[in-house]
Amino acid sequence: MDIFTITISAMPAHTTAALRSMLLLLEPALGARWQVVDKPPADVVLLPAETLARLKGVAGGPDELPLYLALGNDGERPSNAYAMLKRPITPPRLVEVLHLAEGLIEKLRAPQDDLLTVPLIESLEAEGKAQLAPATFDTRVRTTLRAATWRLLQDPIAATLIDNERRSIFSHLPGAGYHTRLTLAEFANVFRENPPAVLVELSGAERDTLRQARDFKPLRELEWTFWICSRSPWLRPELSPEKRYRLRRWPDFGRLPHYQADIRMASALMAQAMTLQQLRSRAGVPPETVMNFLNATYAVGALIEVDDVTVDARSAPKAAPPAPTGLRGLIANLRRRFGLADPKPVAKPALRQAQDAA
């Protein structure tokens, strides 16, 4: 497995420490292929955009190593940077730019006379199969299952993910869902192992063949498996750790991979709305486990946000009916004092009701 290196330069100490911690937490999503080094040489150098702009003409560009990753607020990406990170840095964006760097680095590392232009997405037809020679597969188009699935979830296209032995892990067809020959347990286990994989776009003929499969599953169930089995250490952007959430319905654990902790968290959120920290304390699990459960339940449409106004309105006691006044109130007080029941209202005859209505 290829290892890539990154160094952080010209940054304040607290920013450097925060970035190092984020990169460490993102190891599962990055396939444990990245190492942080204290100083160059490194494959990627992360530094402020304004610093990189001053090095224009000195520091290289996306066609040579090292690659420069710019960190800034707003503004254009420096011409000598292969990508730009905007503050505040989000884990999905950091994963995205590092996956982009992997492909560039692998091409730049390869000898130019042996370099084959093989993009990540290829066809399974005869020409595409010829391009997926063993050496090419292992060194230039390989990524990880989780990384390829994440790419597919961002832009669902007609594609197949194949493993090291050219076997299909699963296929996706827009409008139909995803199809896999693996059992539920096998499918979950392969996501936990996160093997090398290639995302292969399907041709028109291959799409027609795939449509003949009868056991398509919704894409949201694939996303559930991705979150539950990948243990990604971040919340999806639609969720917030400060807000409270509850389950609108019980997840279908009969067809979705899960752990015992997921059942405990589902029970807790069916009973009441909680924040991430409250759910973590109730279930007794690490924070990333709670994050992935919230991400997964949101993906299948089972999670809803509960605001304080709604909770207060539901929990407020109902107002008591107004007490009778006048002669009726006096009679009612006397009846209660002597232990007599309140008289039941007598229904009006149908004719009397019709007369009143007229």
Side-chain angles (χ1 to χ4, degrees):
M1 181 176 66
D2 293 335
I3 299 297
F4 309 103
T5 56
I6 182 172
T7 186
I8 304 168
S9 179
M11 299 278 190
H14 66 278
T15 303
T16 301
L19 287 169
R20 281 178 170 270
S21 298
M22 184 178 293
L23 288 167
L24 183 62
L25 290 172
L26 290 177
E27 275 193 2
L30 294 172
R33 303 180 72 185
W34 284 88
Q35 293 181 355
V36 182
V37 296
D38 295 330
K39 57 183 179 179
D43 295 314
V44 174
V45 179
L46 174 60
L47 71 171
E50 55 272 16
T51 302
L52 189 56
R54 292 196 298 268
L55 296 176
K56 188 176 182 180
V58 179
D63 296 329
E64 59 182 291
L65 293 176
L67 298 175
Y68 289 91
L69 177 59
L71 175 63
N73 298 317
D74 295 325
E76 295 183 0
R77 171 175 60 89
S79 59
N80 48 353
Y82 84 94
M84 182 163 178
L85 278 175
K86 291 186 178 181
R87 297 185 178 95
I89 301 174
T90 61
R93 176 57 180 163
L94 184 55
V95 170
E96 180 183 357
V97 297
L98 291 181
H99 281 158
L100 174 61
E102 290 178 4
L104 295 173
I105 294 168
E106 287 176 338
K107 288 183 179 180
L108 293 172
R109 284 180 178 177
Q112 293 300 315
D113 54 349
D114 295 334
L115 181 61
L116 297 177
T117 305
V118 184
L120 177 63
I121 299 175
E122 278 292 342
S123 173
L124 279 178
E125 294 177 341
E127 182 180 355
K129 289 181 179 178
Q131 289 178 328
L132 288 176
T136 302
F137 182 88
D138 292 337
T139 60
R140 280 181 280 285
V141 299
R142 183 177 61 176
T143 181
T144 62
L145 172 61
R146 296 176 193 168
T149 304
W150 177 255
R151 158 69 177 82
L152 184 63
L153 291 173
Q154 305 310 304
D155 183 18
I157 59 174
T160 290
L161 268 78
I162 57 178
D163 62 12
N164 260 338
E165 299 180 4
R166 312 323 194 252
R167 295 175 302 187
S168 173
I169 301 174
F170 72 88
S171 302
H172 173 256
L173 192 63
Y178 80 97
H179 165 74
T180 180
R181 297 176 180 177
L182 302 177
T183 65
L184 178 63
E186 291 172 342
F187 194 57
N189 190 56
V190 74
F191 267 91
R192 296 185 185 106
E193 294 177 352
N194 196 27
V198 174
L199 181 63
V200 183
E201 188 175 17
L202 300 180
S203 66
E206 291 160 352
R207 297 181 194 186
D208 294 338
T209 301
L210 182 58
R211 285 191 181 94
Q212 299 176 7
R214 296 176 180 267
D215 54 344
F216 281 101
K217 299 179 181 179
L219 188 62
R220 61 178 180 271
E221 293 186 8
L222 172 64
E223 190 170 356
W224 168 284
T225 304
F226 172 83
W227 290 115
I228 292 296
C229 300
S230 297
R231 300 188 177 278
S232 303
W234 70 77
L235 274 178
R236 56 190 307 147
E238 298 91 344
L239 304 178
S240 169
E242 288 79 24
K243 294 181 179 179
R244 296 197 291 174
Y245 300 95
R246 68 175 181 86
L247 292 184
R248 71 167 82 208
R249 57 180 172 80
W250 186 259
D252 188 359
F253 288 125
R255 58 182 295 158
L256 298 172
H258 60 279
Y259 298 93
Q260 287 298 321
D262 299 321
I263 298 178
R264 295 200 304 271
M265 289 185 286
S267 300
L269 289 188
M270 287 293 290
Q272 67 180 98
M274 296 184 185
T275 63
L276 188 153
Q277 184 59 40
Q278 290 171 340
L279 183 57
R280 176 192 175 189
S281 301
R282 175 68 65 87
V285 294
E288 60 269 18
T289 301
V290 180
M291 292 179 190
N292 284 283
F293 179 75
L294 295 178
N295 292 339
T297 50
Y298 182 91
V300 297
L303 188 74
I304 59 173
E305 178 184 339
V306 178
D307 55 46
D308 294 335
V309 176
T310 305
V311 173
D312 293 341
R314 291 176 177 175
S315 59
K318 296 182 178 179
T325 58
L327 181 59
R328 291 182 59 189
L330 177 60
I331 295 175
N333 287 333
L334 290 174
R335 296 182 69 87
R336 285 196 297 271
R337 177 169 298 181
F338 289 103
L340 301 175
D342 291 335
K344 296 182 179 179
V346 180
K348 294 182 180 181
L351 178 61
R352 180 64 179 277
Q353 292 180 0
Q355 291 175 347
D356 292 345

